[in-house]
Amino acid sequence: MSYVRKRDPNASIYCSIEGCKTRAKRKGGTCQKHDPNKPPDKRKKVQTPGVVHYPIIIPIKVQIGKLGLGIKFYSNQQGAVITTIHDSCSFKDQINIGDRIVNINGSHAVTKLEDLSIGMNDPSRIIGIVKGYDV
C-alpha cells in the first residue's frame, strides 16, 4: 500500500524579499510590508528617541483692546486656535487661520477664553503664536 502525501498549497507562499518570513498573497510575491504598489504613509512622523521637540513660539505685539479674532479651544491641543480673522485685527498680516495663541506676555498660558483678556489695556501686550495646526 502506498501513501500519497498531499502538499499544502499555501506552505511555500512567503515573501520573496530575503530574510522576510511573512506570508505573501501568492507564490513568488511580496508581503504587504514590501509591496511596491503600497502608497507611502504621508502622516508618518520621524521621532528620535530621547529628544523632545518644542514648538517655536513667535511673539507678536498687539494694540490695546480686542484682538479681532474668532477662536476655538480643542481639548487635545494647547492654546486657542484662530478660526477667523476680522478686518479690525491690527496684526492680520502676521497670522493665518489655523495658528494657535499659546501665551500672553510670555508667561500666562492660554487655556480658556478669559485668558485672552489679560493685559487688554496694556500698550506693550505681546501674544505668543505657534504657526499651523493639525486637527
Side-chain angles (χ1 to χ4, degrees):
M1 183 189 258
S2 66
Y3 292 100
V4 178
R5 186 174 148 194
K6 288 188 174 183
R7 284 186 74 173
D8 182 10
N10 296 324
S12 62
I13 302 178
Y14 290 101
C15 183
S16 62
I17 304 296
E18 190 168 329
C20 184
K21 304 284 187 202
T22 311
R23 294 178 63 83
K25 290 183 180 179
R26 64 185 189 286
K27 188 174 182 179
T30 57
C31 64
Q32 195 167 6
K33 180 180 175 184
H34 296 110
D35 186 9
N37 297 325
K38 183 180 176 186
D41 187 9
K42 294 181 180 177
R43 299 204 64 178
K44 189 180 238 182
K45 293 182 180 178
V46 177
Q47 293 191 2
T48 309
V51 177
V52 180
H53 298 279
Y54 294 101
I56 298 172
I57 299 174
I58 301 167
I60 297 176
K61 187 172 181 179
V62 297
Q63 293 181 349
I64 295 173
K66 294 183 178 182
L67 296 174
L69 301 172
I71 59 160
K72 186 171 184 176
F73 288 91
Y74 291 97
S75 60
N76 62 345
Q77 289 289 326
Q78 175 190 3
V81 179
I82 299 171
T83 56
T84 56
I85 302 171
H86 303 289
D87 292 333
S88 61
C89 181
S90 61
F91 53 98
K92 62 185 169 191
D93 57 335
Q94 299 175 9
I95 59 171
N96 296 315
I97 292 175
D99 294 348
R100 288 182 289 138
I101 301 173
V102 292
N103 63 34
I104 305 289
N105 292 335
S107 60
H108 301 286
V110 176
T111 56
K112 55 187 181 283
L113 187 61
E114 292 80 28
D115 293 337
L116 293 171
S117 63
I118 293 172
M120 191 174 191
N121 297 323
D122 184 11
S124 61
R125 177 170 62 157
I126 297 174
I127 61 172
I129 299 285
V130 173
K131 290 291 191 178
Y133 179 71
D134 288 334
V135 178

